[in-house]
Amino acid sequence: MAEKNILAYFKSPEEAESVSRKLQALRVVDLSIDRISRYGGAFTAGASPNGLISTLGTGAAGHPDAGVMAAADPSASGMSHGGSGGPTGRDILLTVVIDEMTFHQALSIIEEAGGMI
């Protein structure tokens, strides 16, 4: 059987989790939920929940460039309001690989839950 993929964007992880539970009833091959950030990789320390960088250059293991980018950000100096900001609004990405037979049903579930495809 053929497979199709879906990339859907949500406003909160809870919205994406709710949809993922509904999609599990379909023939889901693979599913992941990730947060999109301004820089690649995640931060182990230094990035506060409001997005401000409290410690310069603290990228996650395996993502040293993320720390460099964070240290170069205008908001890192404390002398700026942060510039243009990063992704806001729909920064939660739900990625689904699903059987072709249930593809349209999955799209409907995601759209009804407020996901943007």
Side-chain angles (χ1 to χ4, degrees), residues 6-10 90 92-94 110-111 113-117:
I6 302 171
L7 300 176
Y9 301 89
F10 291 90
R90 298 181 187 273
I92 306 298
L93 175 63
L94 171 71
I110 291 168
E111 289 173 344
M116 184 176 78
I117 298 172

Side-chain angles (χ1 to χ4, degrees), residues 6-105:
I6 302 171
L7 300 176
Y9 301 89
F10 291 90
K11 294 180 182 178
S12 73
E14 293 79 20
E15 287 179 354
E17 286 290 336
S18 173
V19 169
S20 73
R21 287 190 292 274
K22 293 176 184 176
L23 292 175
Q24 292 297 336
L26 304 177
R27 295 178 183 163
V28 172
V29 175
D30 195 14
L31 185 142
S32 69
I33 299 173
D34 300 293
R35 182 176 297 275
I36 301 169
S37 67
R38 190 180 338 190
Y39 311 112
F43 289 91
T44 55
S48 64
N50 62 2
L52 299 176
I53 307 301
S54 61
T55 306
L56 298 179
T58 55
H63 295 90
D65 294 340
V68 173
M69 293 300 294
D73 189 272
S75 66
S77 71
M79 301 297 286
S80 169
H81 66 64
S84 61
T88 57
R90 298 181 187 273
D91 62 343
I92 306 298
L93 175 63
L94 171 71
T95 306
V96 182
V97 179
I98 195 158
D99 185 77
E100 187 176 33
M101 294 179 67
T102 56
F103 177 73
H104 293 290
Q105 187 178 357

